[in-house]
Structures are given as C-alpha cells and as structure tokens.
Amino acid sequence: MIELAVLLADLRAEGAELDALVADLPGREWARATPAVGWTVAHQVAHLAWTDERALLAATDPAGFAAELAGITERFVDDGAECGARLEPAELLARWRESRSRLAEVLAGAEGKLPWYGPPMSAASMATARIMETWAHGGDVADALGVTRVPTTRLRHVAHIGVRTRDFAYLVRGLPVPDAQFRVELVGPDGVWTWGPEGADQRVTGPALDFCRLVTQRVHRDDTGLVAVGPDAEVWLGIAQAFAGPPGAGRGRS
C-alpha cells in the first residue's frame, strides 16, 4: 500500500505539471481544440476543476453529494466542463488551483469511505483517481499544444487504478466478470511493474505508458504495444476503463 502522503504529493506534482503548461497560455489558446471531440483546452481544465469540486463535496458533505448525485443527467460531465469553459482563462485557472489545493488538504484528513459516481472510495483511492484524471486530461492539453511529456513514476498510480478497475469495466457494460486470474507486467520509467500471480493464464504485457493511455481511453487498442495472452485478457483491453461513469467512446485508430 502506498502512503496517502505520497499519493497527495504526487497529485500536487501532477497538477503542477499541467499548470505549467497553461499558466502563461494566451487567452486565445484556451480555445484550441484537444483530441477529445468538442473539448478545448479550457474544457479540459474546467473538467478537472469541476471534478475536484465534486470530490470536495463528497469528502466534506456526503449527504449533499448524494442529493446532487440523485439529480444528475446523462450530460452532467459535459455540462460541468462547458460551464467552466465559459469563464475567462485567469478565473478558470484560479478556480482549478483553489479546488485542487483544497482537495489535497481535505483528503489528508479524510476518514472512511467517500461516496462517488462509482463505488465508494477511501481517501487514498480518491487521490489515485485524481492523479489518473489529471494525467489523462493533461495529456489531452499537451497533445493540443504539441508538447511531448516525459513519463514519470507517477504513471504507476494510473496503471494501478487501471488494473483495479478491471471488473468495473465489465460490470458497467453489463458483461459477466471472468473468473480467470490476470497477470499484468508493464515497463515503466524505473523498471517493470507487476500485478497478479506469475502463473496466471491471462496476461497483459507492454509499455506502462501505452497501458495508461488505453485505460484512460486516450488511445485505440491497435495503436499500443500491449500484448494480450488469453481471450479474457484480449477482451479486457478492448473495454478497459479506469474512470467512473458510463463507458466512454474511446479514441479511433491513428
């Protein structure tokens, strides 16, 4: 288990990396299209601010979060991003800085399970999920700006939640969860990361960066260097989803 303090430090670092990309961005560049259809740079940052605010609500007012959850619509995620994207860039950036800073503070002292759009999560799991989302949406911004990011060891958090949400990817699509054991071996910036028993029949191997992009639905399965051994492993790579909510459309082949 990774200590919460380490996760929160990595969450702050992931946010700071994206912040550095947009802090001095001219206003017109916030309207630049990203790989996510219909989403600009502003939409990406607005989504992170909105989601951090929802996580804050879940951590500080579970009843209020439950009441809000009961009234959500199919477009609640897009609506949240659209609303924030209408703000002036300076105001939006200030809002995101405030929400992510406050969330890290609150999670440091949070106890028990926090409600969410999927299963309830511990503070550590929530921090991991925020790292995953910040990294994924930060990648969309980087792609839009033509910036190549250097993979860091923070990718391991993204990969971990990608592995942990395997069953969820089946359940959210109404598919039976396989009984088979899985082995995942990924090459990260500091070596090989593994999950599952060595003798498992179902195996996934390859670059950690490709796996993280796949489970956040930032790349098509066929455009990765991932290798699946076993029919269940291959199916999983076709539906992998590290984020809560309904299945995403994914990205087309390049």
Side-chain angles (χ1 to χ4, degrees), residues 38-244:
W39 278 33
T40 64
V41 169
H43 284 85
Q44 300 285 352
V45 176
H47 172 72
L48 291 175
W50 177 87
T51 314
D52 285 343
E53 291 165 357
R54 304 282 70 71
L56 267 172
L57 182 64
T60 60
D61 183 8
F65 180 84
E68 184 177 279
L69 183 61
I72 64 173
T73 66
E74 290 185 359
R75 285 188 49 81
F76 76 106
V77 172
D78 290 304
D79 289 344
E82 184 63 38
C83 182
R86 297 192 191 106
L87 299 174
E88 289 296 319
E91 182 179 355
L92 173 56
L93 183 55
R95 175 183 165 189
W96 177 47
R97 285 171 172 170
E98 171 64 22
S99 64
R100 77 178 201 256
S101 175
R102 178 65 180 141
L103 178 61
E105 293 173 0
V106 168
L107 289 180
E111 298 180 355
K113 294 288 187 178
L114 309 178
W116 199 235
Y117 300 103
M121 293 192 287
S122 66
S125 293
M126 180 68 81
T128 305
R130 299 313 306 136
I131 293 171
M132 178 269 295
E133 280 242 56
T134 305
W135 177 81
H137 291 281
D140 286 344
V141 172
D143 288 347
L145 300 178
V147 173
T148 300
R149 298 188 301 175
V150 177
T152 73
T153 55
R154 296 191 298 273
L155 275 181
R156 185 161 190 164
H157 304 311
V158 183
H160 180 71
I161 201 171
V163 173
R164 290 289 300 274
T165 53
R166 187 193 70 226
D167 290 357
F168 174 75
Y170 286 87
L171 294 171
V172 77
R173 290 165 174 79
L175 299 174
V177 176
D179 294 328
Q181 292 184 317
F182 284 69
R183 172 75 168 182
V184 178
E185 298 179 357
L186 304 175
V187 180
D190 61 348
V192 178
W193 306 334
T194 63
W195 293 263
E198 290 188 18
D201 292 333
Q202 308 299 313
R203 305 176 68 85
V204 171
T205 61
L209 178 60
D210 285 5
F211 181 80
C212 292
R213 294 186 69 205
L214 183 69
V215 299
T216 56
Q217 297 191 353
R218 261 56 188 184
V219 68
H220 191 277
R221 163 74 178 96
D222 293 344
D223 292 326
T224 73
L226 298 172
V227 175
V229 175
D232 291 330
E234 187 60 56
V235 169
W236 175 39
L237 292 187
I239 63 173
Q241 174 177 330
F243 51 88

